[in-house]
């Protein structure tokens, strides 16, 4: 089966808004950007079908449900953390179906060839279907792995992204908002890694005040994961949308905590 026809793998070039149900909105937007002519790194997506196949082949759904039901106090962070670790351990010890492993490794080899590299460094990004929607955010609650090279490490990073659907933060968020993981299967984007000198995040609406008249940009040296995970106080810039005037510019020491 070629990767173009494979329901486990979809390439960035083939993505659009209609693909959100199988690749998640985070990665689907990259396909839209590329179609608009914006420079987006090459890559592919391990779809939600792959996640569901992994879950079903190991009988994990029933085990996960049993673990989640053990949480008697959703405000007890220690209890939620314990259940999170137990569920993620289930992912660690479960087998990824051979066909799925083969398809991920084959797509990675093809991506490496396209990018003229033997073992291409990649960004392995979680992309849950319920993420970044109008009803819920889950911002920074799932895992991303940067600088991943080699077929075996790539497959294991995909497994870790699947398991991050059950981080303590994600579990707590779903408990508080009466959401279920069953409605948010995990896709994983595999992208050529950009060796960035500086990177960060831009918000089209102020993430704290909700103001719609400005763009908020937060940046740091190197890759942007420290900003997304909240382990650094980044530089902060606010730009007016109408005249692109800098309204606020705060430079920090950017020490990782």
């Amino acid at each position: 089966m070629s990767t173009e026809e494979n329901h486990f793998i979809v390439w960035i070039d083939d993505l659009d808004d209609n693909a959100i149900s199988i690749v998640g909105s985070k990665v689907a937007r990259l396909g839209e950007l590329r179609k608009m002519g914006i420079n987006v790194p090459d890559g592919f997506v391990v779809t939600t079908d792959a996640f569901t196949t992994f879950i079903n082949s190991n009988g994990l759904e029933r085990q996960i449900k049993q673990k989640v039901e053990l949480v008697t106090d959703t405000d007890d962070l220690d209890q939620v953390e314990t259940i999170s670790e137990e569920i993620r351990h289930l992912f660690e010890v479960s087998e990824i179906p051979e066909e799925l492993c083969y398809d991920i490794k084959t797509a990675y080899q093809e991506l490496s060839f396209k990018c003229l590299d033997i073992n291409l460094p990649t960004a392995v990004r979680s992309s849950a279907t319920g993420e970044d929607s109008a009803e819920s955010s889950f911002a920074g609650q799932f895992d991303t792995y940067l600088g991943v090279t080699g077929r075996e490490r790539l497959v294991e990073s995909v497994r870790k992204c699947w398991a991050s659907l059950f981080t303590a933060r994600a579990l707590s968020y779903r408990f508080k908002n009466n959401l279920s993981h069953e409605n948010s299967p995990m896709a994983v984007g595999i992208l050529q890694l950009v060796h960035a000198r500086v990177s960060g995040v831009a918000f089209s609406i102020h993430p704290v005040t909700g103001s719609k008249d400005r763009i908020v940009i937060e940046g740091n040296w190197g890759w942007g994961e420290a900003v997304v995970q909240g382990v650094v106080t980044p530089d902060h810039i606010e730009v007016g949308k109408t005249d692109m005037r800098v309204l606020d510019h705060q430079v920090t020491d950017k020490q990782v905590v």
Side-chain angles (χ1 to χ4, degrees):
M1 179 182 294
S2 68
T3 53
E4 288 82 359
E5 300 169 345
N6 194 328
H7 63 287
F8 292 151
I9 303 293
V10 179
W11 290 88
I12 296 295
D13 285 337
D14 299 324
L15 295 179
D16 56 30
D17 200 38
N18 295 324
I20 289 179
S21 64
I22 60 170
V23 303
S25 61
K26 182 190 293 181
V27 178
R29 300 294 181 234
L30 296 180
E32 290 183 6
L33 290 173
R34 173 161 283 197
K35 283 180 169 57
M36 293 167 60
I38 296 174
N39 190 17
V40 173
D42 283 324
F44 60 92
V45 190
V46 181
T47 68
T48 56
D49 285 340
F51 174 82
T52 302
T53 296
F54 171 74
I55 291 290
N56 292 341
S57 66
N58 289 281
L60 292 183
E61 188 57 55
R62 177 181 56 81
Q63 297 179 67
I64 291 170
K65 183 178 180 181
Q66 290 174 341
K67 295 289 186 184
V68 170
E69 290 175 348
L70 292 175
V71 177
T72 57
D73 183 358
T74 58
D75 293 323
D76 185 340
L77 298 183
D78 289 336
Q79 187 182 61
V80 173
E81 180 66 44
T82 297
I83 295 301
S84 169
E85 292 176 358
E86 291 180 359
I87 293 175
R88 297 178 80 171
H89 178 69
L90 293 175
F91 280 75
E92 293 174 9
V93 300
S94 296
E95 292 288 335
I96 299 177
E98 183 176 344
E99 178 191 3
L100 180 49
C101 281
Y102 174 82
D103 290 340
I104 295 172
K105 292 176 181 179
T106 300
Y108 173 66
Q109 285 182 300
E110 184 175 338
L111 178 62
S112 294
F113 180 80
K114 288 175 63 178
C115 298
L116 306 178
D117 201 330
I118 295 176
N119 285 307
L120 181 74
T122 59
V124 182
R125 306 200 63 195
S126 59
S127 183
T129 54
E131 189 176 5
D132 299 333
S133 67
E135 293 78 25
S136 57
S137 171
F138 288 96
Q141 295 182 19
F142 305 133
D143 291 344
T144 288
Y145 297 91
L146 304 179
V148 178
T149 60
R151 293 175 296 175
E152 298 299 333
R153 288 188 60 207
L154 183 72
V155 170
E156 287 308 307
S157 295
V158 170
R159 180 202 299 273
K160 291 178 182 178
C161 282
W162 287 339
S164 73
L165 187 63
F166 298 95
T167 63
R169 286 177 297 173
L171 281 173
S172 293
Y173 186 84
R174 285 196 292 268
F175 285 141
K176 291 177 181 178
N177 291 276
N178 196 29
L179 300 172
S180 171
H181 67 273
E182 296 174 351
N183 301 322
S184 185
M186 180 71 76
V188 181
I190 315 294
L191 304 170
Q192 177 188 13
L193 183 67
V194 176
H195 294 289
R197 179 171 177 264
V198 176
S199 55
V201 180
F203 301 90
S204 58
I205 298 175
H206 198 294
V208 177
T209 67
S211 176
K212 298 181 179 180
D213 66 348
R214 62 192 62 200
I215 301 168
V216 177
I217 304 165
E218 295 189 332
N220 185 36
W221 300 115
W223 297 329
E225 195 61 14
V227 178
V228 175
Q229 295 295 336
V231 297
V232 68
T233 302
D235 290 349
H236 179 92
I237 305 169
E238 297 185 17
V239 180
K241 286 184 177 179
T242 55
D243 56 7
M244 303 305 291
R245 181 167 55 92
V246 176
L247 306 175
D248 187 21
H249 187 184
Q250 302 172 26
V251 178
T252 71
D253 59 15
K254 295 175 283 296
Q255 291 293 319
V256 175
V257 297

